[in-house]
Amino acid sequence: MTKKKTLIIGLTASIFLLGATGLAVARPGGGGFFGHRMGRLIQQLDLTEEQQDLALELRSEMRSKRKAMRSQMLETMQTVASELEKPQPDSARLHQVANDRLEVMRTQMHQHIDNLLKLHSTLSDEQRTKLVRQLQRARKYGKHMLED
């Protein structure tokens, strides 16, 4: 395979993985804090009704933002495909597409952190301790997954 083809395939795969990673973080079941784990977290932390309302409100907010993000991802994939159809794809354009996706992902991650901190500010000492324990368990599981 030529160097150029290898570069194009690598770039395409990288852009796709960047987008997929962003979706995985943001969507239910994708490992994100506001994903399918919210219900279980609410039970484990024994949240008050007000805390539950806040958690569900934050989850709903992120859900609506995910829809826009998915739409942007489809547009990105189309842009990449269009460039790769050309005999001489525009390298600068593809790099800009990657940079744009990274910026969207960065913004999403900061929004997740801000939402987590909003909920965190309402937690009691006991609830924070339980939250930290859950994160430590998740970290152990993640380390185990890396070793396999």
Side-chain angles (χ1 to χ4, degrees):
M1 192 173 328
T2 68
K3 215 174 179 184
K4 186 175 178 180
K5 285 183 183 176
T6 303
L7 176 65
I8 290 171
I9 290 170
L11 178 62
T12 303
S14 297
I15 291 171
F16 177 76
L17 289 174
L18 287 174
T21 302
L23 290 174
V25 168
R27 76 168 182 235
F33 176 78
F34 287 92
H36 73 281
R37 296 179 185 159
M38 181 60 78
R40 189 169 57 200
L41 186 65
I42 287 172
Q43 289 176 334
Q44 291 171 340
L45 295 182
D46 193 26
L47 298 180
T48 66
E49 192 169 320
E50 293 82 18
Q51 290 170 323
Q52 289 179 34
D53 290 345
L54 175 61
L56 295 175
E57 175 187 324
L58 295 173
R59 180 181 179 196
S60 176
E61 176 186 316
M62 293 309 295
R63 186 176 285 168
S64 66
K65 289 180 182 180
R66 280 191 306 273
K67 288 181 183 180
M69 189 173 166
R70 285 183 191 133
S71 176
Q72 290 172 350
M73 183 59 200
L74 293 174
E75 289 176 26
T76 298
M77 292 171 74
Q78 181 57 49
T79 301
V80 170
S82 295
E83 280 300 320
L84 295 178
E85 281 180 333
K86 299 176 183 176
Q88 296 291 322
D90 183 346
S91 176
R93 174 79 172 120
L94 291 171
H95 283 280
Q96 186 58 51
V97 167
N99 288 340
D100 292 347
R101 291 302 309 149
L102 287 169
E103 182 60 27
V104 168
M105 290 170 52
R106 186 185 72 75
T107 299
Q108 286 286 326
M109 291 302 297
H110 285 283
Q111 289 170 345
H112 282 293
I113 291 168
D114 291 343
N115 285 344
L116 176 59
L117 291 174
K118 283 179 193 174
L119 182 61
H120 181 270
S121 70
T122 70
L123 299 178
S124 68
D125 290 342
E126 182 181 338
Q127 290 170 322
R128 277 192 298 276
T129 300
K130 287 180 183 178
L131 175 64
V132 169
R133 257 190 253 131
Q134 289 301 317
L135 292 173
Q136 289 170 337
R137 283 188 194 133
R139 182 175 178 270
K140 282 182 185 178
Y141 178 75
K143 274 178 105 174
H144 172 71
M145 295 300 290
L146 287 174
E147 293 170 358
D148 286 346

